[in-house]
């Protein structure tokens, strides 16, 4: 009933594919996209966000915007390494979700400033981390508004150039995340480490390096080491803590696990996925009586659109 009503009004339902059929993948991702918002709304309603609920909501919506941005950047590696082309259908949904949480982030900040426009504008103009975050938000809105099929047709080749700005926007968002975190930057470091991992995979693709388990394992190790170095550099520059102490903390497991190890753990999913994929391909080839093709050399299906805020391929 709801599907027919939305269709008659011309409203696209996020859980339907292009043929109007239910997509369980899109439905699951849609549920995951709105779950944090529902949780935060319930927590606010139940007065479970502490003494400053609006501040808690500001931080939470910003953090989820960064997380969903990283999820969107992970679509291409997942599709390539796992040979799962259907995952492309959720990329636009993730991109719109990033924009929605970022807009909510700014809106809540405006509410915290009592909706006084002059104060909001002056704060954004005078505080560097707010300026950086605002520029990132404008970029996300631009990408979100041009993520429609009509925009792709109208912009032509310029559409791809515009949507490649997502990488610059991600850097700005992470810098904003670091600057507003002030003392404890464990979460921003972890997010930055994941970004380095995802961009490292793109560097491999750019230079046509083999995407085999051993090379993806090396990528995971390098991303983990880069994360540790980034954390040490940040604390050294921001608070004067010797880099040697921060690096040594990564080898002390009596306390919280440092972000570098979590990045390594996530990175290990890539070679594990490639290894499973290779074994599956060999098993299928042997069962069919033919010689299995090397999964690392098999040409991948060409993507219709390359960027995270793009529509379904």
């Amino acid at each position: 009933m709801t599907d027919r009503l939305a269709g008659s009004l011309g409203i696209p339902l996020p859980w339907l594919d292009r043929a109007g059929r239910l997509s369980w993948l899109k439905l699951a991702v849609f549920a995951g996209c709105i779950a944090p918002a529902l949780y935060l709304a319930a927590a606010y309603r139940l007065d479970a966000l502490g003494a400053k609920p609006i501040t808690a909501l500001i931080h939470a919506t910003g953090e989820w915007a960064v997380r969903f941005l990283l999820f969107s950047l992970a679509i291409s590696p997942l599709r390539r390494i796992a040979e799962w082309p259907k995952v492309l259908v959720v990329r636009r949904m993730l991109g719109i979700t990033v924009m929605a949480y970022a807009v909510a982030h700014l809106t809540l900040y405006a509410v915290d400033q009592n909706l006084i426009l002059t104060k909001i504008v002056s704060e954004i103009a005078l505080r560097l981390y707010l300026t950086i975050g605002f520029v990132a938000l404008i970029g996300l809105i631009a990408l979100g508004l041009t993520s429609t099929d009509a925009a792709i047709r109208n912009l032509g080749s310029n559409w791809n150039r515009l949507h490649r700005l997502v990488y610059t926007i991600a850097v700005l968002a992470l810098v904003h995340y670091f600057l507003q975190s002030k003392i404890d930057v464990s979460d921003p470091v972890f997010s930055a480490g994941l970004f380095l991992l995802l961009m490292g995979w793109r560097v491999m693709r750019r230079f046509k390096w083999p995407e085999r388990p051993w090379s993806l394992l090396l990528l995971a190790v390098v991303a983990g080491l880069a994360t540790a170095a980034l954390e040490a550099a940040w604390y050294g520059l921001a608070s004067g803590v010797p880099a040697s102490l921060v690096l040594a903390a990564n080898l002390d497991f009596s306390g919280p696990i440092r972000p570098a190890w979590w990045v390594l753990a996530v990175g290990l999913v890539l070679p594990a996925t490639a290894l499973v994929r290779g074994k599956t391909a060999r098993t299928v080839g042997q069962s069919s009586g033919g010689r299995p093709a090397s999964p690392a050399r098999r040409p991948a299906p060409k993507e219709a659109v390359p960027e995270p805020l793009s529509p379904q391929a």
Side-chain angles (χ1 to χ4, degrees), residues 78-98:
L78 182 60
R79 168 213 151 308
R80 168 76 182 184
I81 297 172
E83 292 190 344
W84 188 17
K86 288 185 178 180
V87 76
L88 290 174
V89 302
V90 302
R91 191 160 54 181
R92 173 160 52 183
M93 186 191 304
L94 288 172
I96 296 300
T97 300
V98 177

Side-chain angles (χ1 to χ4, degrees), residues 25 29 72 78 83 106 131 180 255 283 294-295:
L25 174 61
V29 172
S72 70
L78 182 60
E83 292 190 344
L106 177 63
T131 305
Q180 68 87 33
T283 301
S294 171

Side-chain angles (χ1 to χ4, degrees), residues 17-282:
D17 62 18
R18 286 184 176 271
R21 297 185 298 265
L22 174 65
S23 168
W24 289 105
L25 174 61
K26 295 186 71 175
L27 179 60
V29 172
F30 176 72
C33 289
I34 66 172
L38 295 176
Y39 169 80
L40 292 172
Y44 179 78
R45 182 69 179 83
L46 297 172
D47 196 22
L49 293 174
K52 296 182 177 180
I54 298 300
T55 300
L57 288 174
I58 292 172
H59 291 162
T61 50
E63 289 167 356
W64 277 108
V66 172
R67 289 166 188 159
F68 280 111
L69 180 55
L70 293 173
F71 290 155
S72 70
L73 290 173
I75 292 296
S76 288
L78 182 60
R79 168 213 151 308
R80 168 76 182 184
I81 297 172
E83 292 190 344
W84 188 17
K86 288 185 178 180
V87 76
L88 290 174
V89 302
V90 302
R91 191 160 54 181
R92 173 160 52 183
M93 186 191 304
L94 288 172
I96 296 300
T97 300
V98 177
M99 182 186 72
Y101 278 97
V103 169
H105 182 61
L106 177 63
T107 302
L108 288 164
Y109 175 76
V111 171
D112 192 51
Q113 301 300 316
N114 299 314
L115 299 177
I116 302 175
L117 184 60
T118 53
K119 184 178 181 181
I120 296 169
V121 172
S122 63
E123 287 288 296
I124 291 175
L126 297 176
R127 295 180 182 271
L128 179 61
Y129 79 97
L130 292 178
T131 305
I132 293 173
F134 186 73
V135 172
L137 172 62
I138 295 301
L140 286 172
I141 293 175
L143 298 189
L145 294 178
T146 57
S147 65
T148 62
D149 294 341
I152 295 172
R153 290 192 299 269
N154 293 334
L155 291 174
S157 60
N158 291 325
W159 186 89
N160 281 328
R161 298 190 187 97
L162 174 64
H163 278 249
R164 288 193 182 97
L165 288 175
V166 70
Y167 305 121
T168 302
I169 291 170
V171 172
L172 292 175
L174 288 169
V175 171
H176 171 74
Y177 196 5
F178 268 94
L179 292 175
Q180 68 87 33
S181 296
K182 297 180 175 65
I183 300 175
D184 184 6
V185 294
S186 296
D187 288 339
V189 167
F190 175 60
S191 296
L194 293 181
F195 178 71
L196 292 174
L197 176 69
L198 294 169
M199 295 309 294
W201 177 83
R202 284 167 168 81
V203 170
M204 290 178 62
R205 292 279 293 150
R206 176 67 177 82
F207 290 99
K208 299 180 179 179
W209 294 340
E211 296 174 53
R212 296 175 180 170
W214 65 265
S215 59
L216 294 171
L217 174 61
L218 180 61
L219 171 63
V221 172
V222 170
L225 292 173
T227 303
L230 175 64
E231 183 183 32
W234 177 267
Y235 279 114
L237 293 173
S239 58
V241 177
S244 58
L245 292 180
V246 180
L247 291 173
N250 285 277
L251 301 177
D252 181 6
F253 298 100
S254 60
I257 304 299
R258 304 310 305 165
W261 290 105
W262 291 113
V263 171
L264 175 62
V266 174
L268 291 177
V269 174
L270 302 182
T273 301
L275 189 61
V276 171
R277 182 198 66 183
K279 288 183 177 180
T280 302
R282 287 192 294 272

